[in-house]
Amino acid sequence: ESVTVFSVEDLVMSCEASGNPPPIFRWTKDGEDFDPGSDPELKVSERSGSFAFYTLSNTMDTLTKYQGKYVCYASNELGTAVSNEAILNTDGKNQKEKKVDIRVEEGNSTTLKCNPPQSSMEPIIHWMDLRLRHIELSKRVMLGKDGNLYFASLDISDSRDDYTCNVQYLATRTILAKEPITLKVVPSNSILRNRRPQMMRPAGKHSTYHALRGQTLELECIVQGLPTPEVSWLRKDGEFSESRTSKDMFDRRLRFTNISESDGGEYQCIAENSQGKATHTYMLTVEAAPYWVKEPVSQLYAPGETVKLDCQADGIPFPTISWTINGVPISEVDKDSSRTLTASGSLILEDVNFRDTAIYQCWASNKHGTILTNTNVYVIELPPQLLTEDGNTYAYTEGQKALLECETFGSPKPKVIWRYYNVVALHMHKLIAKCCYIWAVTVNSVTVANIQSGFVPCSKMRKVAFKLDPRVNPLANGWLEISNVTQSDDGIYTCTVPNTNLSISAELEIFNRPDPPILLQISDPKHREVTLSWTPGDDHNSPVTEYVVEFEEQGSKERGWEELKRVSGNKERADLTLWPYMSYRFRVIAINDVGKSNPSKPSEIHSTPAEAPDTNPEDVRSDSINPNTLVITWEKMDKRNFHGPDFKYCVQWRRAVGGGPDWHEKNVTDPPFHVDNVGNFSAFEIKVQAFNEIGRGPEPDPVIGYSGEDVPLEAPMDVGVVLLNSTTIKVTWAPIDKETVRGHLLGYKVLTGSKGHHRGRRARELESMVVDTEPNEQKKVISDLRPFSHYSLEVAVYNKKGEGPRSEALTFETPEGVPGPPLTLTLDSPSETEMTLCWTPPGQPNGVLVGYLLQYQESEHFSTLPIKKKKKKQGSCCASADGSKWKKTEKVNSSQSFYQLQGLTPGSHYLLRFIYNNETFYKTDIETEGTGTMRVTEMQPSFATQGWFIGVVSAIGLLLLILLILCFIKRSKGGKYSVKDKEEGPMDSEARPMKDETFGEYSDLEEKRTASQPSLCEGSKLCSEDNLDYNGSSAMTTELNMDESLASQISRPSGGPEGFHGLPDNSPLNPTSFSPATNGVPNSVTILD
C-alpha cells in the first residue's frame, strides 16, 4: 500500500504475517536489503506476527531519504512469503505562500487556484472562509477536480478576503489549509453583456482520458458565460450504463462507478445559454491493471505426487506471469527438470519430495501494476483422519438441496467412498433389474456407492446397467451434495476412507406433506350424529398435527366441499353432528408442518331422517308503506333448517289493542305477507312459525308491527321567532298531538324563505332554507341568514310518509350586518404620482351603505399612511405618515364609485384594502407607473430647513433691523416738518396703515382651484358617467400652500395613525378646523412620498 507522509508521526511502516513456527521479517528498499534496526533515526517494534518501524526524527527534512519502494519478507522453515510493493512518499515542509489579491470586473469569469501538494493519495478539497463555513457552490461557482474554484461570471456579492482552500487526506487524517485569497469584484462601468459559453476546464475541443477497470472516474466540464450556461452529456457511440453512470456537481461532472471495458467510448459535454453553445469531446479508453482469474491453492502433498499450481490473470494489456520460490526468481533457483512452466502460466512440480516444501509466489504484471499471490506447498506424510462426527442426522424438505459432511485430513489427501442403504429401489440410479449388489462411482477422488436388495440371482448382476443420478454431486472436499431431494433419498449414508477402518454414517430425512388418510368408515349412526374413522397415511418424517373433516351435501353440490370439523393429529376418528333430512359424503385432509395433504377419497353416502323444525325465522317485522295495509316480512331460513319435506311458514297477526285473544293466520312459502283494510298506522302483534309435514317449530314470541303511515293532519301551533343577531334566529313552537301524526314522528321541518333586502335597497330572488329537527325538539336556532332581509317562516311535522300542513307564515326582518366587498375594483395610473380607483357597489350591502374606507400600503416597505375622510361627498385633507401602519383615506360616500390617490411613488407596488367597522372586506394590489426607486419614507427637508440657512437669514434680518433703527434715528434728527403740509400733501402709499382684518393673515388658507382640471375617469372605461354624480368633489382637487419645512414636519406622525397627531385644534393644518367657507371641502396637501 502506497502512503504519503506529511508529518513525522505519519512515517510508520508495518508488516504482519502468521505461521508456525513464527516467521522472521526482513525488508528491501528499492530492491536492496534494508535493515531498519541499524538506522539510528528509526525505531523498530517487533511482536509475534508483526514488524513495524517508525522515525525518531522531529523534522520533515530528514524523512526525504526514506522515500522509495518497500517490500516485506516473512520466513520460517517452511518457506518465505512476500508482500506487495509499498511506495513511501514524503511531502516536505510547505513553502510559505504569498497572499494573493485578485481584482476582476463584474460579469467576467475568474479562477482561484488551490495548488494542492503532489501525493499518491487523492485529496478532498474544501473551499471555506476563515469561519470554516463552506463557500456555497452553484452552476455559477464550481469546484474543479484540480481543486481550483471557478466562477463562470462574477457578481458583486462574490467579493471577500478569506477564500481558503483546505486540502484533506483521509488516510493520514491530515488537513492542509492554504493561504487565504482576496477577491475584489469591481462594478462595471459599462452595461453587462451576455457572453457565449466557453470551456474553462478542460481547454480545447477534444481530450483523451485513460481509466483502469474497477476505478471510479469523473469527467468534468466547467464553463463560463453569461447567463450561466446549462450543461448536458451525450455518449456518441452508445448508451449510458444506468447502473454505473451518474451526474454530479450540477451536471458538470459525469461519474463512472466500477468502470468496465464496455464504458470506453466517445463522450461529449454540451454547454448552452441564450447566446450559443460550446462542446468538448472526451475519448475514453478503459484498460485494466492485472487481476486474478484463478489463484493457486495452498495444500498438503505426499511425497511422489505431481503438483499443479494453476495461476491465471487478466488485464489490459494482457499481463505477464512469473514465479518465485521463497521470494527468489525461479530462474535463479537451482535448475530442476521436475519443475516446468506451461504456456498458460501454471507451474507443475513432478514427483515432489520434502525439499519442494516452500512458498511459491505467482506474479502478474503489466504497465499498470503488479499483483502477487503466495501459495504454500507442504510436502509431508500424515495418516488419514475423519474430522466429521459420526451419527449426524440431516433433515430437509422435499425439493431442497441436501449437503452431507465428511471432513478429512491427511497427506496425501484421503479419498472417500459414500454408500447408501435403503430397502426400497432408489431413483439415484437408473435401475433395470433388482439384485443384491454393491456399486460405486468415483468423482473428484470421492466414490459414490449404492447397496440395494433384490430377487434376481447374483449370477445375473453383471447384466444390470446403472447411470449416476445427475442430482448427486460429490464435492472435492469429500462432502456429498444432492439437489432437489425426494422422499426416495431417505436413508443411511456412510463415508469411508478405503483401506482403513475409518468410517462415519449419517441419516438423511426428507420431510414432505403427509399422504392423505385412507379407508374412511362411517359407524354408530344416531339421531343426528355419526362417527367417521380413517387410517392415517405416511407422514413423511413430519408428524400430522391436525385432521380436517369436510362434507358435501348431495342435494346442493353447487356449494362444493365445506369444512365440518377439525381434530388433533393423534386421533383417527371424529364424532360428527349432522342436520336432519340431508345426504352426506365425507373426506379427510391431514396437515403437518410442511403443508396439507391431498384430500382422501370420499366416503359412502349417509342420509339423516326428517324432523320437525327446531328454529323459526329471524327478524320478523312490519314493512308497511301504503296506508291501510299491513306488510309482514322476515328473513328466509336456510334449507338445512327445513328438517323435512313440505316446508312452510305460518304467519299470525292480531291487533295489539282491542283485537281479542284470537289470531289470524295464513300459511305461505316465502315472505312478505300483505294484510289489507287494517287502518292507518295501527299496532299489531305479529309472529311467524316454521313447519313441515313432520310438525311445527317452537312457539315464537310476538313482535309489534304497524300498518302503513299517512301524512300528518295538523300543523304545529304557537310558532315564534326571536332575533339573536343579523344572521341568526331562534324558532319555537308547541308540541304536536301524536294522534294527528298518523305515523312515527320523525321530527319537524322549519322552512324559511327570503324575499330580498327590505327598504327597497336591492331586490333579490326568493331563497329558501329547510332545517330538520329531532322529534322531541320544540325550538331550533337557525344561522346563516342574510342581514337586512325580509323572511317568512313556516313549521311542519313529518313522518315516513311525508310532510304535513305548514303553520301560518310568520314574517320577520333581519337587522343590518357587515357589507360584502365591492363587486369590482379597477385601477388607473394617469401620472407617475397618482392612482385612480374605480369600483362598483357590493353585491351584498347587508344594510344601508354610508361610505367606503380605503387603505393602501407600499408592499416593499409595509409603511402606512392614514388618510381621514369625512362622511361627505367631497374629499377632505390628506397627510403623510411614516412607519409601519396603514395609510388611510377619508371615509368615502356609498354612492361614490371611485377615489383618487395622490402623492404616490412612481414605479412602486402598493397593497390596497377596504374597511368597514374596522373589518377588512376586500384586498388587492396596485402598482404605479414610472421608474422611480423612491420608497415610502419621510420627506427629506430642503436647505430652507437647515440650521445654517436659518442662522444666515436670522443674521441678515437682525442687521436690517439695526440699519432701520439707525435710519429712523437719523431722520428724527434731520429737521422739523409742518404737520399741516404733511396732512394736506398726498399720502405715501408706504405710510398707509394696514387693515385690521388683513394684518397678519396667513395666506396659505386662501383656496385655489385648479384651472379646469378634468376628471381622472374622463375618457376611460374604468368609470361610468353615472358614477360621477358627487358634486365634482373628486374631479377637482384643492391645494394648501405652505413652507416646505412645515410640510416636512407635518409629514412626521408622532404616534397615532392620523398623521396630524399633536397639532393644536386651532391650527390651520388640522383637518377639523377648516373654515365653513370652503363649502365642506377642506384644503388638502399632497405630501405623500
Side-chain angles (χ1 to χ4, degrees):
E1 179 176 321
S2 299
V3 295
T4 299
V5 177
F6 296 95
S7 65
V8 293
E9 293 83 2
D10 295 336
L11 200 160
V12 178
M13 299 292 289
S14 62
C15 182
E16 296 181 357
S18 60
N20 187 16
I24 300 173
F25 296 90
R26 66 182 180 90
W27 293 82
T28 63
K29 175 176 175 292
D30 297 329
E32 302 291 336
D33 287 337
F34 175 73
D35 183 10
S38 63
D39 192 328
E41 295 185 3
L42 297 179
K43 176 70 174 180
V44 173
S45 174
E46 194 168 3
R47 299 179 182 177
S48 176
S50 66
F51 183 95
F53 64 89
Y54 51 91
T55 180
L56 297 175
S57 176
N58 294 324
T59 62
M60 288 291 295
D61 297 336
T62 60
L63 300 185
T64 306
K65 62 181 180 180
Y66 296 113
Q67 294 185 118
K69 300 177 181 179
Y70 290 83
V71 177
C72 175
Y73 297 83
S75 305
N76 65 9
E77 61 186 42
L78 298 180
T80 301
V82 183
S83 73
N84 286 306
E85 188 176 70
I87 302 175
L88 176 64
N89 295 318
T90 60
D91 257 358
K93 184 181 297 183
N94 293 330
Q95 299 295 327
K96 182 65 176 178
E97 296 180 339
K98 295 182 180 179
K99 186 171 179 61
V100 178
D101 292 336
I102 300 177
R103 188 180 181 90
V104 188
E105 197 173 71
E106 179 185 9
N108 291 339
S109 62
T110 192
T111 303
L112 306 185
K113 295 186 176 181
C114 178
N115 297 323
Q118 295 295 326
S119 172
S120 59
M121 294 182 293
E122 185 76 17
I124 300 175
I125 305 298
H126 306 274
W127 279 91
M128 310 173 79
D129 59 17
L130 293 181
R131 295 184 179 181
L132 298 181
R133 293 178 300 191
H134 284 270
I135 301 299
E136 184 176 357
L137 301 180
S138 63
K139 295 179 180 180
R140 187 179 61 86
V141 183
M142 288 294 304
L143 173 63
K145 290 178 59 182
D146 56 359
N148 296 339
L149 193 63
Y150 293 86
F151 293 83
S153 60
L154 284 169
D155 189 78
I156 297 296
S157 61
D158 295 325
S159 296
R160 61 189 312 139
D161 58 359
D162 57 352
Y163 283 98
T164 307
C165 177
N166 295 273
V167 185
Q168 180 183 13
Y169 295 94
L170 291 177
T172 59
R173 293 178 294 179
T174 302
I175 297 179
L176 304 178
K178 311 291 285 186
E179 188 71 21
I181 299 176
T182 298
L183 174 62
K184 177 64 175 177
V185 181
V186 182
S188 176
N189 293 326
S190 58
I191 298 177
L192 295 179
R193 295 183 178 179
N194 293 341
R195 304 192 312 276
R196 292 171 56 89
Q198 291 183 353
M199 289 292 166
M200 301 180 72
R201 175 181 170 86
K205 294 286 187 180
H206 302 273
S207 59
T208 302
Y209 212 105
H210 294 275
L212 293 181
R213 174 183 179 270
Q215 287 184 336
T216 295
L217 171 69
E218 290 182 332
L219 305 179
E220 70 175 349
C221 277
I222 301 178
V223 293
Q224 60 168 300
L226 193 65
T228 303
E230 298 287 337
V231 175
S232 58
W233 291 87
L234 171 70
R235 181 170 183 177
K236 302 179 70 174
D237 56 352
E239 299 292 333
F240 288 109
S241 170
E242 294 183 1
S243 61
R244 294 191 303 274
T245 58
S246 61
K247 295 174 184 177
D248 195 9
M249 197 62 73
F250 308 98
D251 292 345
R252 265 56 175 175
R253 293 185 187 177
L254 181 63
R255 180 193 297 269
F256 296 85
T257 303
N258 192 23
I259 194 170
S260 69
E261 291 86 343
S262 62
D263 294 321
E266 194 172 359
Y267 295 85
Q268 186 178 68
C269 71
I270 305 168
E272 294 181 279
N273 66 6
S274 58
Q275 303 302 305
K277 71 176 182 179
T279 62
H280 185 88
T281 302
Y282 280 98
M283 183 59 68
L284 177 60
T285 302
V286 180
E287 296 186 344
Y291 58 93
W292 295 116
V293 176
K294 186 176 183 180
E295 298 182 56
V297 179
S298 298
Q299 197 168 302
L300 300 178
Y301 298 94
E305 284 191 272
T306 297
V307 177
K308 183 179 181 181
L309 302 179
D310 292 318
C311 184
Q312 298 178 19
D314 201 357
I316 301 176
F318 191 81
T320 301
I321 302 296
S322 60
W323 287 87
T324 59
I325 302 176
N326 293 330
V328 180
I330 198 169
S331 58
E332 299 179 10
V333 182
D334 294 337
K335 291 185 178 181
D336 191 339
S337 59
S338 63
R339 291 193 293 264
T340 57
L341 286 173
T342 66
S344 63
S346 298
L347 176 63
I348 298 176
L349 307 177
E350 298 179 354
D351 192 21
V352 295
N353 54 44
F354 299 111
R355 292 178 302 173
D356 293 318
T357 296
I359 300 177
Y360 294 75
Q361 290 84 32
C362 178
W363 302 74
S365 305
N366 67 7
K367 66 178 182 179
H368 301 298
T370 300
I371 57 174
L372 72 88
T373 179
N374 290 280
T375 306
N376 294 286
V377 174
Y378 193 8
V379 182
I380 191 174
E381 284 186 324
L382 294 173
Q385 298 180 51
L386 283 176
L387 305 181
T388 303
E389 293 184 3
D390 187 24
N392 289 335
T393 299
Y394 302 91
Y396 292 93
T397 302
E398 188 168 0
Q400 290 184 325
K401 180 188 291 184
L403 193 63
L404 308 183
E405 300 180 10
C406 186
E407 191 74 34
T408 63
F409 179 76
S411 182
K413 180 69 174 177
K415 297 180 179 180
V416 298
I417 296 178
W418 279 97
R419 290 184 173 86
Y420 173 63
Y421 299 88
N422 197 332
V423 296
V424 182
L426 300 179
H427 297 287
M428 185 179 290
H429 310 91
K430 185 178 179 182
L431 180 64
I432 295 180
K434 294 182 179 180
C435 178
C436 179
Y437 67 91
I438 297 177
W439 179 82
V441 62
T442 301
V443 179
N444 293 333
S445 302
V446 180
T447 301
V448 178
N450 190 5
I451 299 178
Q452 293 185 352
S453 62
F455 305 98
V456 179
C458 293
S459 59
K460 298 181 180 181
M461 194 183 76
R462 294 180 181 178
K463 299 179 181 180
V464 180
F466 300 95
K467 182 179 180 181
L468 184 64
D469 193 321
R471 297 181 302 113
V472 180
N473 180 27
L475 303 179
N477 61 358
W479 294 17
L480 185 65
E481 181 185 79
I482 306 174
S483 302
N484 193 22
V485 294
T486 64
Q487 199 65 41
S488 62
D489 295 325
D490 257 350
I492 303 298
Y493 292 78
T494 62
C495 176
T496 304
V497 178
N499 303 321
T500 68
N501 58 355
L502 299 176
S503 178
I504 61 169
S505 62
E507 182 180 1
L508 178 61
E509 294 183 352
I510 306 301
F511 296 133
N512 199 0
R513 299 182 305 147
D515 289 339
I518 58 176
L519 303 177
L520 272 64
Q521 292 183 350
I522 299 174
S523 61
D524 301 332
K526 296 179 182 178
H527 182 57
R528 288 193 183 184
E529 293 184 355
V530 74
T531 299
L532 179 67
S533 60
W534 58 86
T535 300
D538 191 351
D539 62 6
H540 296 298
N541 299 319
S542 179
V544 175
T545 58
E546 194 175 29
Y547 289 101
V548 179
V549 179
E550 297 181 339
F551 76 95
E552 181 185 52
E553 183 185 353
Q554 298 306 295
S556 302
K557 287 190 175 182
E558 66 276 2
R559 289 175 176 258
W561 288 90
E562 302 176 66
E563 183 177 319
L564 182 62
K565 192 173 185 178
R566 288 177 178 250
V567 297
S568 61
N570 57 358
K571 293 184 177 181
E572 299 179 9
R573 60 189 297 155
D575 295 327
L576 307 177
T577 300
L578 309 177
W579 285 277
Y581 197 60
M582 285 182 59
S583 296
Y584 292 88
R585 284 203 310 169
F586 305 101
R587 70 182 187 183
V588 182
I589 298 174
I591 301 175
N592 65 6
D593 291 338
V594 179
K596 291 183 178 181
S597 71
N598 293 326
S600 67
K601 292 182 178 181
S603 67
E604 297 178 353
I605 295 177
H606 174 75
S607 299
T608 54
E611 295 180 2
D614 56 5
T615 60
N616 286 313
E618 296 180 349
D619 195 19
V620 177
R621 65 193 184 277
S622 65
D623 197 9
S624 307
I625 299 176
N626 297 324
N628 204 31
T629 302
L630 174 64
V631 179
I632 303 173
T633 188
W634 59 91
E635 295 294 331
K636 294 181 65 174
M637 294 176 61
D638 191 293
K639 289 184 178 181
R640 293 176 181 174
N641 294 319
F642 289 179
H643 291 182
D646 194 20
F647 178 83
K648 292 182 180 180
Y649 301 99
C650 178
V651 182
Q652 305 175 65
W653 71 97
R654 68 182 180 187
R655 289 187 180 273
V657 179
D662 296 331
W663 290 84
H664 303 279
E665 67 177 40
K666 186 73 173 179
N667 296 333
V668 297
T669 57
D670 292 296
F673 177 71
H674 294 255
V675 183
D676 297 327
N677 301 320
V678 294
N680 296 326
F681 197 62
S682 299
F684 287 85
E685 288 184 293
I686 56 177
K687 58 184 180 180
V688 180
Q689 187 178 29
F691 71 95
N692 58 25
E693 70 177 18
I694 304 299
R696 288 178 175 267
E699 184 67 24
D701 294 328
V703 297
I704 299 298
Y706 292 87
S707 59
E709 300 182 12
D710 205 346
V711 294
L713 291 174
E714 295 182 0
M717 304 296 290
D718 299 333
V719 178
V721 176
V722 179
L723 294 174
L724 300 181
N725 55 44
S726 61
T727 61
T728 306
I729 62 172
K730 181 171 72 173
V731 184
T732 60
W733 60 88
I736 194 74
D737 183 3
K738 298 292 182 68
E739 295 295 331
T740 65
V741 177
R742 301 199 294 180
H744 291 285
L745 176 59
L746 299 182
Y748 298 86
K749 290 182 181 288
V750 181
L751 303 95
T752 58
S754 172
K755 299 181 180 179
H757 296 296
H758 60 273
R759 301 190 191 177
R761 271 305 278 177
R762 182 185 295 269
R764 298 185 55 85
E765 65 279 3
L766 182 64
E767 297 180 0
S768 61
M769 180 188 305
V770 179
V771 179
D772 294 340
T773 72
E774 295 296 327
N776 297 325
E777 285 190 271
Q778 299 178 29
K779 60 183 178 181
K780 189 70 175 181
V781 175
I782 301 177
S783 304
D784 299 327
L785 301 179
R786 291 187 180 276
F788 200 59
S789 298
H790 287 285
Y791 278 94
S792 65
L793 181 141
E794 298 171 320
V795 182
V797 66
Y798 71 98
N799 58 21
K800 289 183 179 178
K801 194 63 179 177
E803 177 185 319
R806 300 179 181 180
S807 65
E808 184 178 353
L810 180 64
T811 60
F812 63 94
E813 297 176 352
T814 54
E816 290 189 84
V818 177
L823 291 178
T824 61
L825 176 65
T826 54
L827 311 172
D828 188 19
S829 182
S831 69
E832 293 184 352
T833 61
E834 294 183 356
M835 181 73 69
T836 299
L837 286 75
C838 296
W839 61 85
T840 56
Q844 299 178 3
N846 296 337
V848 179
L849 294 177
V850 296
Y852 295 88
L853 182 60
L854 176 66
Q855 288 189 327
Y856 65 96
Q857 76 174 160
E858 188 173 0
S859 62
E860 293 181 356
H861 231 18
F862 294 99
S863 300
T864 62
L865 186 62
I867 303 179
K868 276 286 189 180
K869 187 157 185 161
K870 301 291 185 181
K871 267 192 183 177
K872 297 182 180 180
K873 293 187 178 181
Q874 287 90 1
S876 66
C877 176
C878 52
S880 68
D882 195 6
S884 59
K885 299 179 181 178
W886 285 84
K887 305 174 184 178
K888 295 182 180 179
T889 70
E890 70 270 33
K891 293 182 179 179
V892 182
N893 192 287
S894 60
S895 63
Q896 190 169 332
S897 61
F898 78 94
Y899 183 77
Q900 184 178 33
L901 298 177
Q902 297 183 351
L904 304 181
T905 302
S908 298
H909 188 198
Y910 289 88
L911 299 179
L912 187 69
R913 68 183 184 184
F914 285 87
I915 291 181
Y916 179 79
N917 284 350
N918 293 326
E919 292 187 7
T920 299
F921 58 88
Y922 188 74
K923 289 184 179 180
T924 187
D925 293 347
I926 60 176
E927 189 165 346
T928 56
E929 298 178 351
T931 60
T933 59
M934 295 292 291
R935 305 178 186 269
V936 176
T937 181
E938 179 180 336
M939 182 181 293
Q940 297 297 326
S942 66
F943 70 92
T945 63
Q946 301 298 318
W948 63 268
F949 180 77
I950 296 174
V952 170
V953 172
S954 300
I956 294 174
L958 182 60
L959 183 61
L960 290 175
L961 179 60
I962 294 173
L963 291 176
L964 287 173
I965 292 173
L966 294 176
C967 182
F968 278 116
I969 293 173
K970 186 172 182 62
R971 289 189 64 180
S972 64
K973 294 180 179 181
K976 297 180 179 179
Y977 298 93
S978 171
V979 175
K980 184 177 181 180
D981 294 341
K982 190 172 182 78
E983 290 177 349
E984 292 176 354
M987 183 178 291
D988 188 356
S989 61
E990 292 183 359
R992 293 173 184 171
M994 301 177 68
K995 293 183 180 181
D996 294 339
E997 63 269 20
T998 61
F999 181 80
E1001 182 177 56
Y1002 193 73
S1003 62
D1004 285 0
L1005 291 180
E1006 294 178 359
E1007 184 176 319
K1008 298 179 181 180
R1009 297 279 184 176
T1010 57
S1012 301
Q1013 180 179 353
S1015 169
L1016 292 175
C1017 287
E1018 183 176 346
S1020 172
K1021 296 181 180 180
L1022 298 178
C1023 304
S1024 64
E1025 294 180 359
D1026 296 339
N1027 292 331
L1028 298 178
D1029 185 16
Y1030 45 83
N1031 295 334
S1033 62
S1034 292
M1036 303 294 291
T1037 61
T1038 60
E1039 296 181 357
L1040 182 64
N1041 300 324
M1042 62 176 65
D1043 188 290
E1044 186 178 11
S1045 62
L1046 180 59
S1048 173
Q1049 295 173 16
I1050 295 175
S1051 68
R1052 300 187 185 93
S1054 58
E1058 300 302 323
F1060 294 103
H1061 180 76
L1063 292 177
D1065 293 338
N1066 59 355
S1067 172
L1069 300 177
N1070 194 311
T1072 63
S1073 63
F1074 287 103
S1075 173
T1078 60
N1079 194 23
V1081 185
N1083 298 323
S1084 62
V1085 51
T1086 56
I1087 54 177
L1088 308 185
D1089 189 355

